[in-house]
Amino acid sequence: MAAILRSAEVVAISLGNGHRLAVTESGTLLATGGDYFGQVSGILQAVGGRKVTAVAAGGFHSLAVIEDGTLLAVGMDQFRQVSGILEAAEGKKITAVAADNYHSLAVTADGLLLAAGMDFSGTVKRIVEAAEGKTVTTVAASLYTSLAVTDDGTLLAAGMNTSEQLTGILAAADGKIVTTVAGGTSHTLAVTEEGTLLAAGADQYGQVSAILEAADGKRIIGVAVGHTHSLALAQDGTLLAAGNDSELQVSGILEATEGKQVTAMAACEDYSVVVVREREDDSLKPRQIHASFRIEPHDPDGLYRLEFKAGNTYQSVYATGKFAVLDTENALDTEVIVRDVLYPGPVPTGTVKFTFDETTGVVDIDAEQSRLPDGLTYNTLDNNRFAFTHVK
């Protein structure tokens, strides 16, 4: 099944076996679908209107983290995937969660990895052992695997390896700094800090080879994995998809998102769900551009902004990934400032030199005359669009 959630407010999605969780920009939890074990009604009741910062939908259970870092969990508890993770997280501040059919993962504010549930092929014990003494930042779970990324970008993996989905992705990631990871039943995807897509495992439908081909030359910022299909999100908001298309989970979602900017996505079993934003009106005035700004690692609270100062005029783009209209002036060097909204102080600064072609109306950046702040890069997209990224 291919589906689109048409709401620019949704910032995160997670899919279970028949139920779906989402979080809006304001921290509101949305939940729908099968409620056999209270995985929908129960998690909504547990949250009780409080602000949610992270969610994970397991097979028949749900995890949510509220603003103060408290972990909430409800649903099927056959293997203590609910009670066990709650017990492990008691008294701790949680920052990230992941879940699949029979096990749950959580990360504390100080980087401790917690795991509970069925320990199939070491998805619980072995991943905890692999993370011992390390500071974990990101986790992902599939039916038979557990994945984690440490603060230095090291990829950790445990579980079933029948299709070399673990050894293959670990080999591909060796010596690289990984930022994002997603695992399926028999294949795994990961993204490096440079935006390179890595993939390993079963490839009978092209869920590995075809998604790598689609991502070639593109900067990838997110991935999602279904049973036998793969999704990847390019920095400009373009969705990439490959693999089994028996339920239109590939062709349908690609057709539905054509010409639209994807902001969040998820995959499970044989279906795909994305959040899209209609692309902004391209009728720009002369010398205007669309610009977006992202912080890596991701800045979900939008605490950073990119300032452009020409003369006495300031223009800002916040680190939400959304495009904003900016006026450029090719006669002046424009000062570029990466500013921390919450903690004002010394900030990276530089200059950018915009150029304008009177004949074509194209705005560009003169790379030779520009001196961008350390850590700031940009990609030139279509129709006078620029995607700026700052690595902290």
Side-chain angles (χ1 to χ4, degrees), residues 162-178:
T162 54
S163 300
E164 298 186 355
Q165 63 266 44
L166 299 188
T167 54
I169 201 68
L170 288 172
D174 186 37
K176 301 178 177 68
I177 298 176
V178 172

Side-chain angles (χ1 to χ4, degrees), residues 13-36:
I13 325 168
S14 186
L15 309 179
N17 285 349
H19 76 292
R20 294 158 291 280
L21 305 177
V23 181
T24 71
E25 286 180 324
S26 63
T28 300
L29 174 66
L30 309 177
T32 186
D35 195 29
Y36 320 109

Side-chain angles (χ1 to χ4, degrees), residues 242-311:
N244 185 7
D245 196 33
S246 60
E247 302 295 331
L248 303 183
Q249 62 266 46
V250 172
S251 62
I253 205 68
L254 288 175
E255 180 180 351
T257 58
E258 186 175 1
K260 299 178 177 65
Q261 183 184 14
V262 175
T263 58
M265 62 181 181
C268 182
E269 297 295 329
D270 297 323
Y271 68 104
S272 304
V273 176
V274 302
V275 176
V276 300
R277 180 184 299 113
E278 300 290 341
R279 291 191 183 274
E280 296 81 355
D281 183 3
D282 284 327
S283 58
L284 296 171
K285 296 177 181 178
R287 303 185 190 278
Q288 285 186 334
I289 64 170
H290 280 131
S292 69
F293 180 47
R294 292 181 63 90
I295 287 286
E296 293 185 1
H298 182 45
D299 173 32
D301 297 319
L303 298 179
Y304 287 79
R305 69 173 181 259
L306 187 63
E307 290 184 354
F308 295 84
K309 178 179 180 290

Side-chain angles (χ1 to χ4, degrees), residues 197-266:
L197 178 66
L198 310 176
D203 193 36
Q204 68 270 42
Y205 299 100
Q207 62 264 46
V208 170
S209 58
I211 198 67
L212 286 173
E213 183 178 349
D216 187 36
K218 298 179 177 66
R219 186 179 180 90
I220 304 302
I221 60 173
V223 286
V225 175
H227 181 55
T228 50
H229 74 289
S230 301
L231 305 179
L233 181 59
Q235 188 178 40
D236 66 356
T238 301
L239 180 71
L240 312 176
N244 185 7
D245 196 33
S246 60
E247 302 295 331
L248 303 183
Q249 62 266 46
V250 172
S251 62
I253 205 68
L254 288 175
E255 180 180 351
T257 58
E258 186 175 1
K260 299 178 177 65
Q261 183 184 14
V262 175
T263 58
M265 62 181 181

Side-chain angles (χ1 to χ4, degrees), residues 343-374:
Y343 301 105
V347 292
T349 63
T351 60
V352 61
K353 175 79 170 182
F354 290 105
T355 63
F356 178 67
D357 189 315
E358 298 279 356
T359 303
T360 64
V362 172
V363 176
D364 205 348
I365 292 177
D366 188 327
E368 291 186 0
Q369 295 191 45
S370 298
R371 297 291 181 266
L372 297 182
D374 290 342

